[in-house]
Amino acid sequence: MIYLDNAATTMIKPLAVSRAMLNAMQTMASPGRGAHEPAMRAAKTVFDCRREAAELFNVPEPEQIVFTMNATHSLNIAINSLVRPGMKVLVSGYEHNSVTRPLAEREAEIHVAASSVFDSEGMLAAFEKELPNAELAVCTHVSNVFGFILPIYDIARLCRERGVPLIVDASQSAGALDVDYGRLGADFIAMPGHKGLFGPQGTGILICSGACKPLLSGGSGTDSIVQHMPDYLPDRLEAGTHNVCGIAGLLEGIRFVRQKGIKEIFDHESGLLRRMVGQLQQVRGLELFTENCRAQSGVLSLRAEKLNCEDLASALSDRGICVRTGLHCSPYAHRSAGTLESGTVRFSFSPFNTQEEVDICCQFIKDLL
């Protein structure tokens, strides 16, 4: 098997992740639910994960790290905290449905800062033009479809200058690009645990700067007599039993990222991207969505002139090559790039992919077309 669907889930993870999860299942209880050793061991693991995440993302206090089920859960908490019906919300033209659907459910008035794919200057100009009329901005750091790295730090600066709150979706950048809470100054930063942080599915992180509204209410292990969720983080947003096994695995995933280094991870994935582009860019009837600059992460979308995306992905799957096809839950991105009708086939890399895997995949595509 050649696994090239890491933008959806990094299935191949460091061995320490699964080992930590099994150990947690066998030795840990629930944090905050007792002073016995299994509960205290769980509490230490959960806190260690908060601390490591806070250090990775330059967050002043570990308590600002809130554990969620995934990035969608994190984004829903952030949007629920800030959005009211009729609110004018500015988004990029590359947002995932985990942003746009919660906004629609809350009856926000959505405005789009539109630009062509890989046009960083155009994107920044669009935000600068539209921000004076916005009450909130929500922006992805990297397009999950095209790997387009948006100028998020410049967008954050514009939001600060105009006093517009900002939610950042770091689903495709956490663990592969610099995500610096201190520099961004965003109100919320949302991310999954199961992608660039190499944690298990069912884990996520929300970095909070201040005021927030619970999406769920229930037991927190603290202030049990009070019939409202606690007014302090992280307890305010973490109702019910923690996913201790998942958090234990996420802790080891974060440690792997910190040990290997974000720059090394990005350089490796970008190198594989360039290698694939170099082998496929001269293939007749094949359209690659790429940019030879630092505005693209390790994600490549393509489509073939004489073979629809589903058939191409199915042929790859028959050869044991795992990719993603369709709209990737991001119709806004496909509308921006002009691929809404066809979708694309997406290849996305991780530190565990090799040059040999890329070569095999490229040769099969050449033979097929």
Side-chain angles (χ1 to χ4, degrees):
M1 181 188 71
I2 297 175
Y3 188 80
L4 297 174
D5 193 20
N6 296 283
T9 291
T10 53
M11 189 186 74
I12 301 172
K13 308 179 193 296
L15 288 176
V17 172
S18 55
R19 290 170 179 165
M21 294 178 68
L22 180 60
N23 178 65
M25 186 177 295
Q26 295 175 337
T27 66
M28 297 181 195
S30 296
R33 272 71 171 180
H36 50 74
E37 185 176 347
M40 298 305 292
R41 190 180 295 119
K44 182 181 185 306
T45 297
V46 170
F47 179 77
D48 284 348
C49 192
R50 286 194 216 280
R51 178 177 50 78
E52 294 263 2
E55 291 175 3
L56 178 61
F57 301 115
N58 190 25
V59 180
E61 301 295 336
E63 290 76 17
Q64 293 177 258
I65 302 292
V66 171
F67 292 119
T68 63
M69 295 184 292
N70 44 51
T72 298
H73 184 196
S74 297
L75 287 163
N76 270 266
I77 293 173
I79 289 169
N80 182 62
S81 295
L82 297 180
V83 176
R84 62 182 184 278
M87 190 176 197
K88 295 179 180 178
V89 180
L90 180 62
V91 302
S92 79
Y94 296 89
E95 299 307 315
H96 192 274
N97 279 342
S98 56
V99 167
T100 57
R101 282 179 172 173
L103 289 175
E105 289 286 347
R106 287 160 181 77
E107 301 179 344
E109 184 180 313
I110 303 174
H111 298 260
V112 179
S115 78
S116 301
V117 65
F118 304 119
D119 183 2
S120 300
E121 292 184 2
M123 174 61 66
L124 191 58
F127 264 91
E128 191 163 17
K129 177 183 177 183
E130 299 291 342
L131 268 175
N133 300 316
E135 299 172 90
L136 171 69
V138 188
C139 188
T140 188
H141 191 174
V142 177
S143 166
N144 71 304
V145 180
F146 301 106
F148 173 28
I149 303 173
L150 280 68
I152 193 66
Y153 287 98
D154 289 325
I155 291 169
R157 173 181 52 79
L158 291 175
C159 289
R160 291 195 304 271
E161 290 173 356
R162 288 157 179 78
V164 178
L166 173 65
I167 298 172
V168 174
D169 179 2
S171 293
Q172 299 296 330
S173 59
L177 285 168
D178 179 48
V179 178
D180 190 317
Y181 169 82
R183 285 179 57 205
L184 283 167
D187 291 71
F188 294 97
I189 303 176
M191 64 191 71
H194 65 100
K195 297 185 182 183
L197 298 180
F198 299 94
Q201 296 93 319
T203 59
I205 287 174
L206 179 65
I207 303 174
C208 305
S209 65
C212 51
K213 295 180 182 178
L215 196 64
L216 299 172
S217 297
S220 61
T222 56
D223 295 343
S224 294
I225 197 169
V226 179
Q227 290 305 289
H228 295 281
M229 291 300 290
D231 59 1
Y232 49 86
L233 292 171
D235 301 53
R236 181 161 178 75
L237 299 178
E238 293 182 352
T241 301
H242 289 79
N243 177 8
V244 174
C245 298
I247 293 170
L250 178 58
L251 170 59
E252 292 304 322
I254 292 173
R255 284 173 172 166
F256 171 81
V257 170
R258 298 191 69 194
Q259 181 179 12
K260 194 167 188 66
I262 287 176
K263 184 181 185 302
E264 182 176 337
I265 291 172
F266 179 82
D267 288 346
H268 177 79
E269 294 175 0
S270 295
L272 296 178
L273 168 72
R274 291 192 299 272
R275 190 177 184 90
M276 178 169 272
V277 169
Q279 296 186 45
L280 295 180
Q281 60 186 353
Q282 301 303 324
V283 177
R284 294 178 60 185
L286 192 62
E287 182 181 12
L288 308 181
F289 294 87
T290 186
E291 178 72 17
N292 295 318
C293 69
R294 301 292 287 184
Q296 187 171 11
S297 67
V299 175
L300 176 66
S301 266
L302 56 79
R303 58 183 178 179
E305 182 180 340
K306 295 184 179 180
L307 190 65
N308 69 47
C309 292
E310 287 73 19
D311 288 342
L312 175 54
S314 179
L316 288 164
S317 180
D318 290 342
R319 290 294 185 95
I321 302 171
C322 306
V323 298
R324 176 81 185 273
T325 187
L327 298 183
H328 316 95
C329 300
S330 297
Y332 274 52
H334 285 281
R335 190 174 293 113
S336 296
T339 54
L340 189 61
E341 297 300 320
S342 64
T344 61
V345 180
R346 184 187 69 188
F347 302 78
S348 48
F349 308 104
S350 91
F352 295 100
N353 291 124
T354 66
Q355 293 183 355
E356 181 183 10
E357 290 177 331
V358 169
D359 295 345
I360 293 170
C361 182
C362 290
Q363 187 59 55
F364 175 67
I365 293 173
K366 291 177 183 179
D367 294 343
L368 181 67
L369 298 183

